[in-house]
Amino acid sequence: MTDLQHAATISVLVQNAPGVLVRVAGLIRRRGVNIHSLSVGPTEDPSISRMTIVVDTAPERTEQFAKQLRKLVEVLRATSLDSTPAVDRELALIKVNVTPGTRLEIMEIANVFRASVVDLTDKTMTLEVTGRGEKVDAFVTLLTKYGIREMARTGQVTLVRGSQNT
Amino acid sequence: MARQITASKPPAPAVRSRQMNGAQTLVESLRREGVEVLFGHPGGASLPIYDALYDAQDIHHILVRHEQVAAHAAVGYARASGRVGVCTATSGPGATNLITGLTDAMMDSVPVVAITGQVPRPVIGNDAFQEADVTGITMPITKYNTLVMRAVDIPNAVRAAFHLAGTGRPGPVLVDIPRDVSQELCEPDFDEEPALPGYRPVLDGNPSQIAEAAEALSAAERPIVYAGGGILSSGATPELTALADRTGIPVALTLMGKGAMDETHPRCLGMLGMHGSAFANWAINRADVILAVGVRFDDRVTGRLKDFAPHARFIHIDIDPAEIGKNKPAHIPIVGDAKRVLAALVPLVRAPKIEAWWKQIEEWREKYPFRYRQRDGRISHQYVCDLLNRLTGGQAIVATDVGQHQMWMAQWYKCREPRTFISSGGLGAMGFGFPAALGAKFARPDKQVLALVGDGGFQMTMQDLITAVEHRLSLPIFILNNGALGMVRQWQSFFYRGRFSSSILRNPDFAKLGDAYGARGIRVERPEEVEGALRTALATEGVPCVVDILCDPEENCLPMIPSGQSVAEMILDD
Ligand SMILES: Cc1cc2nc3c(=O)[nH]c(=O)nc-3n(C[C@H](O)[C@H](O)[C@H](O)COP(=O)(O)OP(=O)(O)OC[C@H]3O[C@@H](n4cnc5c(N)ncnc54)[C@H](O)[C@@H]3O)c2cc1C
Ligand SMILES: Cc1ncc(C[n+]2csc(CCOP(=O)(O)OP(=O)(O)O)c2C)c(N)n1
Ligand SMILES: [Mg+2]
């Protein structure tokens, strides 16, 4: 995110076992580093999960993080993605205030960002947007003036481009 | 055994199947790992385990009086023998008492397996009696830990634990077993291989990196080897010695590396670092090529990182990729097992031309050897250490506690062989020395083992004197009694204007205390009594001998590179 000194992305493949999330998070926490976002989900192999972790750390420390993560017995692979061409995506659900007067205006903004309306009432509209973190940030900024009632963001997921594995 | 020959035993109940309970499964698993000794203390959650141990004639359980001692003893056992040390405790307070010892094992990369009892499965998480989240608490201080939720999973968990503890970069592994899992009947399969797809230590170094390292060393003008604990875990002493013999390159050792090479070898410069020899520190700081092997660039060695060996190219061999470049960038990184990498490297190195370098080192060595003064009527700590070295020929296994005495022993005791110096390096845990000696004695009953402790640290774990008495251990315990938390006192005298805040000790009569436990107690007050007392203690058989030596209360441990500084700021005299 824009207010971070440096946001480093580390992609981690882990065995889907109890406690793994705590081990990974604990390893980062004990080094005094903030986890900016962390997303976990299954991969093509149900016994393996992928964690995409964005940490607020200096570039020269990122590889050290990846090395420490590889030492965890349940970690199968840990890659520091900073210099690798990759696709990043985030998903956000944003619930904004609407009035008959602002409804069309908001939908126009949503169109530009290819966001979709997933729920609508006479007072609120819930929008779904996906994209890079910066795009989501920009969308959120534009919606601020209508009054954001609630927001949920998934955190970033990332894959390396092309045939190389992440 | 091929067949049963005893007829006198009552017949075993007809075996319906290979059923046994979890605790019996655990004991059988330990047996299959070759466990002969384990250190522990029982309690509610581990009662089923103790019941199973009751039948195990071949596994010797040593009842200690505090679980901290069990963990330190397991470390002492492991470090003296190279085998995995085992300790056990009950849930809650038993398990939390292991924490210091496990942290020590983690910091110093010692192979230990801890078995803890846990509250029964149905009440886990409900703040049950004596429940503690032991796998949660020990996550950052173990190489791996696991909560076993089915008896049938025990063999796999134990195999994985021993494999993880003892291979790669060694470390502690904890297995937490709920009481009802220990009681649950199962049909265990002891032959199943644990699947550890994420654990693949690299053993062989990259040949082109090794060739590059050999070139750098062959062409060096002022090379030095900086070797540590990894040489001992790897068993690479012959390869390291061969390197020194073949090439003449000097070798400096870390505290953890003591014993990695015969310290009386002319190429060995002994210990470097904060309290290492001035000549070893000068040498590493002037070096142009440094072969760092099985070391982790600890701040007690490097001081201020940017001023540590500023002109050198670093070759770094380590089995743990995360150590390479962690504190100091490596010009030639080599991931692998020290023994294998050195074996490949040694034949490739041509003896560099280093006569001038050696001339310089010998000058330093002559100008500033370790030395000490004998103040009138006072017993010098260093004299005691020096004498212990001479009386044992450096061939005893020494376990130290933490503080000034530890550093003096590191300076004066010249190890002749691997696994003879056992000390809490990374954690620096007071209370370690005596329990570690206890564990070492169980590992090497044939060897002279001794403990050298301070009057402060000994009081943290001395209750286990009774354990040594109970097992009739020939174990001398030398207390360098300076009536102070000496190392703290020293820092206060150097850096806090001599304001001795809470560092002066009032002590019990340790010799009488030894007597009270049924050990032999000797009190030494005058320099001329020292030698006789040491000889008596070293020769005492079948009972531990507590030797309380009243030493100079004001002596400082020098040389010293103050924390966070560099060799240029080394304090040589006070
Ligand atoms: C009061 C006090 C004062 C101290 N002063 C000093 C001092 O003056 N000098 C000093 O040296 N220390 C001193 N220490 C100890 C210091 O804190 C560190 O514990 C020590 O320096 C670390 O030693 P090491 O680098 O050999 O690493 P260890 O902790 O022994 O680590 C071993 C390294 O080897 C690697 N390794 C393990 N197995 C293998 C293998 N098979 N092959 C290859 N690599 C392997 C590991 O990954 C690790 O990097 C002091 C401690 C205390 C308590
Ligand atoms: C468990 C623990 N608590 C505190 C310390 C801090 N500490 C380091 S050395 C030392 C003094 C040790 O005194 P003593 O055992 O008498 O040894 P001496 O330095 O006098 O030889 C202390 C308190 C420590 N290392 N470990
Ligand atoms: Mg003392």
Side-chain angles (χ1 to χ4, degrees):
Chain A
M1 293 267 298
T2 40
D3 56 337
L4 291 179
Q5 301 169 334
H6 180 87
T9 306
I10 304 172
S11 181
V12 191
L13 287 178
V14 299
Q15 280 178 285
N16 195 348
V20 179
L21 178 61
V22 183
R23 284 181 207 277
V24 168
L27 190 148
I28 296 171
R29 175 204 57 81
R30 69 170 280 220
R31 290 175 171 77
V33 166
N34 189 35
I35 296 178
H36 176 66
S37 76
L38 190 159
S39 71
V40 195
T43 60
E44 65 284 2
D45 176 345
S47 68
I48 296 175
S49 302
R50 181 184 300 282
M51 298 186 182
T52 308
I53 312 170
V54 181
V55 283
D56 179 3
T57 181
E60 64 275 13
R61 287 191 72 193
T62 320
E63 183 52 31
Q64 175 61 207
F65 270 106
K67 281 180 171 179
Q68 294 291 348
L69 285 166
R70 282 177 211 131
K71 283 168 67 167
L72 296 178
V73 170
E74 297 96 338
V75 168
L76 303 170
R77 193 175 158 85
T79 337
S80 151
L81 292 176
D82 271 8
S83 47
T84 326
V87 278
D88 307 330
R89 287 296 177 270
E90 230 183 274
L91 181 145
L93 293 175
I94 306 157
K95 192 188 287 176
V96 286
N97 289 326
V98 290
T99 61
T102 58
R103 185 176 297 155
L104 277 179
E105 213 176 302
I106 295 173
M107 285 176 73
E108 247 169 57
I109 297 173
N111 260 337
V112 174
F113 283 83
R114 293 198 218 150
S116 46
V117 179
V118 290
D119 184 48
L120 187 63
T121 66
D122 53 351
K123 291 206 177 73
T124 66
M125 185 190 292
T126 303
L127 294 152
E128 173 195 318
V129 64
T130 60
R132 293 183 52 94
E134 296 87 334
K135 171 181 163 185
V136 178
D137 288 347
F139 187 52
V140 170
T141 310
L142 284 174
L143 295 179
T144 310
K145 71 169 183 198
Y146 304 103
I148 295 176
R149 296 169 73 107
E150 281 191 307
M151 174 165 80
R153 288 174 77 154
T154 56
Q156 176 186 317
V157 290
T158 303
L159 284 182
V160 166
R161 288 181 188 275
S163 56
Q164 190 193 329
N165 284 341
T166 306
Chain B
M1 234 178 289
R3 86 205 150 87
Q4 200 152 342
I5 35 172
T6 41
S8 53
K9 271 191 174 177
V15 186
R16 270 187 296 110
S17 65
R18 303 189 306 123
Q19 267 207 344
M20 50 173 93
N21 72 20
Q24 292 162 329
T25 307
L26 170 70
V27 169
E28 181 56 27
S29 296
L30 295 176
R31 182 176 287 125
R32 284 167 187 248
E33 295 298 333
V35 174
E36 289 166 0
V37 179
L38 77 165
F39 304 90
H41 200 103
S46 61
L47 275 173
I49 297 174
Y50 276 82
D51 195 58
L53 281 170
Y54 199 64
D55 292 326
Q57 303 298 326
D58 49 342
I59 300 183
H60 203 37
H61 176 270
I62 308 300
L63 172 67
V64 294
R65 302 321 194 248
H66 189 302
E67 292 86 350
Q68 179 182 359
V69 169
H72 288 326
V75 165
Y77 182 94
R79 287 181 61 177
S81 65
R83 303 172 63 189
V84 177
V86 186
C87 56
T88 176
T90 189
S91 68
T96 55
N97 274 348
L98 292 176
I99 301 297
T100 304
L102 294 178
T103 314
D104 170 86
M106 186 69 176
M107 292 291 273
D108 287 345
S109 306
V110 187
V112 164
V113 168
I115 312 281
T116 47
Q118 182 53 277
V119 300
R121 282 169 294 186
V123 296
I124 287 181
N126 290 357
D127 307 320
F129 177 63
Q130 294 196 325
E131 179 179 9
D133 174 8
V134 171
T135 44
I137 293 171
T138 57
M139 214 171 254
I141 55 156
T142 51
K143 184 171 170 183
Y144 183 68
N145 66 20
T146 179
L147 172 65
V148 184
M149 291 298 270
R150 297 186 311 175
V152 71
D153 294 335
I154 288 175
N156 206 306
V158 172
R159 277 188 87 165
F162 278 78
H163 180 64
L164 290 166
T167 60
R169 178 179 185 165
V173 177
L174 182 139
V175 181
D176 202 20
I177 308 179
R179 191 179 68 208
D180 60 329
V181 171
S182 287
Q183 291 163 324
E184 182 179 78
L185 286 174
C186 68
E187 264 185 49
D189 173 3
F190 294 102
D191 299 319
E192 193 188 323
E193 283 282 334
L196 297 165
Y199 181 75
R200 296 160 304 230
V202 174
L203 300 179
D204 288 310
N206 176 316
S208 69
Q209 299 289 87
I210 293 175
E212 203 186 321
E215 266 323 297
L217 287 168
S218 307
E221 288 173 10
R222 298 182 310 281
I224 191 169
V225 179
Y226 156 32
I231 298 286
L232 297 168
S233 354
S234 165
T237 296
E239 290 73 15
L240 177 64
T241 311
L243 178 71
D245 284 337
R246 244 183 79 92
T247 64
I249 299 176
V251 178
L253 302 173
T254 64
L255 178 72
M256 291 299 297
K258 274 182 74 73
M261 183 177 167
D262 180 348
E263 288 185 72
T264 63
H265 190 291
R267 299 297 172 219
C268 186
L269 306 184
M271 188 174 83
L272 83 170
M274 179 179 275
H275 290 292
S277 68
F279 51 89
N281 285 319
W282 283 323
I284 196 156
N285 275 282
R286 283 285 295 282
D288 63 348
V289 177
I290 296 176
L291 174 65
V293 47
V295 290
R296 55 184 181 80
F297 290 79
D298 184 85
D299 49 79
R300 292 251 150 160
V301 170
T302 63
R304 195 189 298 118
L305 273 172
K306 77 170 172 53
D307 294 327
F308 178 63
H311 313 294
R313 294 184 72 206
F314 284 95
I315 304 161
H316 193 178
I317 303 170
D318 204 291
I319 202 162
D320 179 356
E323 283 304 332
I324 294 181
K326 182 182 83 177
N327 292 341
K328 200 80 183 163
H331 302 86
I332 307 174
I334 304 175
V335 176
D337 172 54
K339 190 178 181 72
R340 294 211 199 173
V341 176
L342 287 178
L345 176 71
V346 174
L348 303 181
V349 185
R350 297 179 306 277
K353 295 201 178 25
I354 51 175
E355 292 75 20
W357 177 225
W358 264 111
K359 194 162 157 284
Q360 169 72 86
I361 293 173
E362 291 301 354
E363 250 170 52
W364 284 329
R365 178 138 65 173
E366 234 162 80
K367 184 171 143 221
Y368 216 94
F370 287 127
R371 53 187 163 206
Y372 58 90
R373 58 189 159 209
Q374 302 254 35
R375 284 195 260 236
D376 271 353
R378 299 190 187 182
I379 300 172
S380 147
H381 302 253
Q382 297 99 314
Y383 164 65
V384 177
C385 297
D386 188 19
L387 201 54
L388 281 173
N389 179 51
R390 283 187 273 137
L391 293 178
T392 60
Q395 285 178 333
I397 296 177
V398 170
T400 79
D401 212 80
V402 171
Q404 288 183 316
H405 65 280
Q406 175 191 29
M407 291 295 107
W408 281 317
M409 199 59 166
Q411 295 177 341
W412 288 94
Y413 193 79
K414 308 293 174 200
C415 298
R416 309 300 304 274
E417 36 180 297
R419 302 194 176 280
T420 52
F421 199 88
I422 302 174
S423 194
S424 178
L427 190 65
M430 282 169 74
F432 171 88
F434 163 56
L438 188 88
K441 189 68 191 178
F442 278 104
R444 301 289 309 273
D446 53 310
K447 264 282 221 196
Q448 172 93 63
V449 177
L450 64 92
L452 183 96
V453 300
D455 45 338
F458 185 51
Q459 294 186 65
M460 292 197 175
T461 44
M462 67 184 176
Q463 75 288 334
D464 268 87
L465 265 176
I466 194 62
T467 310
V469 169
E470 187 178 351
H471 294 278
R472 302 168 184 278
L473 299 188
S474 309
L475 182 62
I477 300 149
F478 301 99
I479 306 172
L480 295 190
N481 184 344
N482 50 7
L485 300 170
M487 190 55 94
V488 171
R489 187 191 179 286
Q490 171 166 344
W491 285 49
Q492 288 171 334
S493 117
F494 288 178
F495 312 119
Y496 293 87
R497 293 173 285 125
R499 289 154 54 86
F500 299 128
S501 179
S502 298
S503 56
I504 308 302
L505 289 175
R506 165 161 185 178
N507 285 322
D509 182 330
F510 292 110
K512 278 194 189 150
L513 198 82
D515 284 337
Y517 275 107
R520 184 169 187 173
I522 304 177
R523 184 178 165 93
V524 183
E525 296 179 347
R526 291 203 311 277
E528 58 275 19
E529 299 164 1
V530 174
E531 182 164 346
L534 299 197
R535 284 185 186 277
T536 307
L538 289 169
T540 299
E541 299 262 358
V543 64
C545 183
V546 180
V547 191
D548 184 10
I549 310 171
L550 302 181
C551 293
D552 189 339
E554 291 175 344
E555 190 64 55
N556 289 321
C557 182
L558 296 171
M560 176 181 191
I561 301 175
S563 185
Q565 304 200 17
S566 76
V567 69
E569 289 113 323
M570 179 158 51
I571 304 170
L572 289 167
D573 296 287
D574 59 346

